[in-house]
Amino acid sequence: MIEPEPVFGDMKNNLGFKRFLLRGLPKVNLEVGLLSLAHNLSKKASVDAKNQEAKREQAA
């Protein structure tokens, strides 16, 4: 089971997201989608950085 709380905590603390800027359900859905995309891209970037570091250590 995956708990969603760490994701929202990351959005609040690290991204500085405290409240929605737009009004209306379609706009809020879009804003949540963009926040989720930003979160997933940052996770992907950190995983890629770890993989590159591991490849450098293996090559050395």
Side-chain angles (χ1 to χ4, degrees), residues 2 4-6 9 11 13 31-33 38 40-41 50 52 58:
I2 299 173
E5 286 85 5
M11 287 180 187
N13 283 333
E31 198 168 353
V32 168
N40 288 334
L41 286 174
K50 285 182 184 179
Q52 278 187 340
Q58 286 180 349

Side-chain angles (χ1 to χ4, degrees), residues 3 8 10-11 15 24 30 34 36 42 44 49-50 54-55:
E3 295 187 25
F8 293 121
D10 180 52
M11 287 180 187
L15 297 179
L30 178 65
L34 290 173
S36 300
S42 68
K44 174 79 169 122
K50 285 182 184 179
K55 285 181 182 178

Side-chain angles (χ1 to χ4, degrees), residues 6-51:
V7 175
F8 293 121
D10 180 52
M11 287 180 187
K12 284 183 174 183
N13 283 333
N14 299 335
L15 297 179
F17 182 75
K18 300 293 182 194
R19 62 177 60 199
F20 293 104
L21 299 174
L22 304 172
R23 299 291 174 247
L25 191 57
K27 293 177 186 177
V28 169
N29 283 336
L30 178 65
E31 198 168 353
V32 168
L34 290 173
L35 285 167
S36 300
L37 181 66
H39 178 76
N40 288 334
L41 286 174
S42 68
K43 282 175 53 175
K44 174 79 169 122
S46 67
V47 167
D48 288 347
K50 285 182 184 179
N51 288 340

